[in-house]
Each structure stands twice: as structure tokens, then as C-alpha cells.
């Protein structure tokens, strides 16, 4: 029978396979999914839709069978946000009451979609796309972001002291052909440069109207003549190279 010392010596000669584990750094969100009561956002503050929005809600609910009216959670949250300025806990609770669903069902929607702002935002909500196409298109979104920070004196996720502007970064805005792109409230402003970005901000500060769409002068996403295109002549019309007898 082997002694303990012999067993230990033999086991020491056997190569030990080591396993190494590597993990990525934890990514931190700029928003909490858990609600925190504040003086202007807590369940004790009553919210009620105004008469105009109540009429809209009646029309929205007509689109859903009575047993499926919970499908109207998203449009009602949007109405509440537009009336109240953001999607507070009171807005969510009122939507739950109107649709006769547990409040948690509304909370799940409001915390999943980034279109719902659960904290107050500025009058002009600036959402700059910084995904790869916008970083590469035109002058690049990095220059636009630097311009916004410099002109407004805020960082991403912050609101100016006068409550006029809130700046956030967003993932793909779906307008890659017009990069760089920034959404201001409901409208897209495209083909941005530091100069046109500054002009937009100056006009908003002065209370002037701004025109949505490409800021370069081109129409929608039509090609810029001689730039980023091989379409240098009039496109062929219908019937090109089609037999006449067909």
C-alpha cells in the first residue's frame, strides 16, 4: 500500500490544466430602471389627461377589442409624455388605470423603450446618433458632439441650466445616408457640420423656426452631385431593355 508521501509525490508530477476566465468591464447605463421618488416625480402627485387628450384616447381605444385594450399602452404613454413633458410615475399609473392593467405592465414598457423619458428633459431634446455610419459619414458625429458640448456647456445626459436643451447619444437613427444625424424632439436634422449645428442651436435660442431634414441643401436623401455616388446621368426610365412585344 502506498504511503501518503508517495501518492503526493506522484500527483505532483501530473501536469495541472489551468483555466483562465476573462470578463468584460461592466457597462453602466445612464438611467436607472428602478424608480426613485423625487419631489416632482412620485406617486402622490396626481396626473390627469386633459380634455383634448381624453378625446384622442377614446379614438385610440376604438382600434382595440375591449379585451385587448392593453395594446394601447404605448400610444397612451406617448400622449402622457407630450402633455406632462416626461413619463412620470403618475403618468404610468394613470395609463394603467385607464387600461385596467397592473401598473407593472406599464412600467415594463416605459423602462424598455428609450422613447419614454422617465425624468424631466429640456424644451429641446437633442438625440445625436453616434453609431458607426454617423461616425464615418460627412464630418463625423464626433465633431458634432464636440460642437454641442462646447456650445451648450453640458455633457451627454445633462440639461442646460435654463431648461432649454437636453443632450443624449442614441444608437442608429436609421438615416445613415444622411449622416451625421441628430433628432431634435420629433424631427431629424441631417448632413450636419459643426457650422450648421451651431446655426441650429443659435436659431433655437433666439426662438426662430428651424427647417428639418438635410442641412446641406440637398432634397431628402438624393445623391449629392459628384459626391459618394456613381449615378452621374439621368436614370433609365420604365421599360428599359424590355421587349416591345411584351
Amino acid at each position: 500500500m502506498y504511503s501518503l508521501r508517495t501518492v503526493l509525490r506522484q500527483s505532483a508530477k501530473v501536469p495541472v490544466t489551468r483555466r483562465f476566465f476573462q470578463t468584460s468591464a461592466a457597462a453602466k447605463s445612464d438611467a436607472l430602471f428602478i424608480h426613485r421618488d423625487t419631489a416632482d416625480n412620485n406617486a402622490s402627485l396626481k396626473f390627469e389627461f386633459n380634455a383634448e387628450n381624453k378625446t384622442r384616447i377614446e379614438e385610440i381605444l376604438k382600434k382595440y377589442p375591449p379585451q385587448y385594450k392593453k395594446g394601447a399602452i404605448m400610444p397612451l404613454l406617448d400622449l402622457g409624455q407630450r402633455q406632462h413633458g416626461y413619463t412620470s410615475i403618475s403618468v404610468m399609473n394613470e395609463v394603467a388605470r385607464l387600461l385596467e392593467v397592473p401598473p407593472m405592465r406599464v412600467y415594463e414598457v416605459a423602462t424598455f423603450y428609450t422613447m419614454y423619458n422617465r425624468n424631466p428633459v429640456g424644451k429641446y431634446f437633442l438625440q445625436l446618433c453616434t453609431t458607426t455610419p454617423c461616425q464615418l459619414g460627412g464630418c463625423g458625429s464626433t465633431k458634432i458632439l464636440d460642437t454641442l458640448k462646447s456650445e451648450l456647456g453640458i455633457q451627454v445626459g445633462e440639461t442646460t441650466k435654463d431648461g432649454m436643451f437636453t443632450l443624449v447619444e442614441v444608437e442608429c437613427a436609421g438615416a445613415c445616408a444622411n449622416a451625421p444625424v441628430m433628432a431634435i424632439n420629433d424631427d431629424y436634422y441631417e448632413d450636419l457640420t459643426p457650422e450648421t449645428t451651431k446655426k441650429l442651436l443659435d436659431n433655437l435660442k433666439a426662438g426662430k423656426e428651424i427647417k428639418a431634414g438635410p442641412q446641406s441643401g440637398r432634397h431628402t436623401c438624393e445623391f449629392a452631385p459628384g459626391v459618394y455616388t456613381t449615378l452621374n446621368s439621368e436614370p433609365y426610365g420604365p421599360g428599359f431593355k424590355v421587349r416591345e412585344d411584351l
Side-chain angles (χ1 to χ4, degrees):
M1 188 172 181
Y2 294 104
S3 65
L4 178 60
R5 180 176 297 179
T6 303
V7 173
L8 292 175
R9 284 178 179 175
Q10 290 178 347
S11 63
K13 297 178 181 179
V14 179
V16 178
T17 302
R18 294 184 179 181
R19 298 180 64 187
F20 296 92
F21 293 91
Q22 184 174 354
T23 60
S24 302
K28 296 181 179 179
S29 171
D30 61 354
L32 283 173
F33 289 114
I34 301 174
H35 171 75
R36 302 296 191 202
D37 277 349
T38 61
D40 56 357
N41 187 4
N42 62 77
S44 65
L45 299 175
K46 184 174 176 56
F47 170 81
E48 183 178 359
F49 285 100
N50 57 35
E52 182 180 357
N53 280 335
K54 285 181 179 178
T55 302
R56 289 180 177 176
I57 290 172
E58 291 177 1
E59 293 301 315
I60 290 172
L61 292 182
K62 290 178 182 179
K63 300 177 181 179
Y64 302 90
Q67 69 272 30
Y68 294 119
K69 63 181 180 181
K70 64 182 179 182
I73 288 177
M74 292 187 69
L76 264 61
L77 281 176
D78 182 64
L79 277 180
Q81 177 165 280
R82 291 176 186 277
Q83 177 180 319
H84 189 58
Y86 66 102
T87 306
S88 68
I89 191 71
S90 298
V91 170
M92 299 183 219
N93 289 341
E94 178 64 6
V95 170
R97 186 189 69 81
L98 290 173
L99 299 181
E100 298 178 297
V101 298
M104 180 54 69
R105 293 291 176 261
V106 181
Y107 303 160
E108 290 169 345
V109 174
T111 55
F112 181 82
Y113 292 100
T114 57
M115 63 183 283
Y116 301 116
N117 301 310
R118 295 184 298 108
N119 291 298
V121 296
K123 180 180 180 180
Y124 300 109
F125 189 43
L126 312 181
Q127 302 174 75
L128 177 66
C129 177
T130 55
T131 316
T132 305
C134 275
Q135 289 181 336
L136 300 178
C139 67
S141 58
T142 300
K143 289 186 178 180
I144 305 303
L145 182 59
D146 290 341
T147 301
L148 292 168
K149 290 179 180 179
S150 175
E151 291 295 319
L152 299 176
I154 58 175
Q155 298 298 314
V156 173
E158 295 181 348
T159 300
T160 54
K161 293 181 179 180
D162 59 4
M164 287 285 287
F165 299 93
T166 296
L167 173 62
V168 297
E169 289 185 68
V170 296
E171 295 303 316
C172 188
C176 307
N178 296 63
V181 178
M182 175 174 63
I184 302 179
N185 295 345
D186 290 332
D187 297 314
Y188 275 14
Y189 297 82
E190 306 153 337
D191 294 340
L192 295 172
T193 64
E195 293 73 25
T196 56
T197 301
K198 184 178 184 304
K199 184 178 179 181
L200 286 172
L201 296 177
D202 289 342
N203 286 336
L204 290 174
K205 292 175 182 177
K208 298 179 180 179
E209 291 188 7
I210 55 177
K211 183 179 179 181
Q215 303 301 299
S216 59
R218 68 168 167 165
H219 179 63
T220 64
C221 56
E222 289 182 349
F223 73 95
V227 182
Y228 307 131
T229 184
T230 57
L231 185 63
N232 296 314
S233 60
E234 189 69 21
Y236 298 111
F240 176 67
K241 288 188 176 183
V242 176
R243 285 167 41 190
E244 295 181 358
D245 59 332
L246 294 178

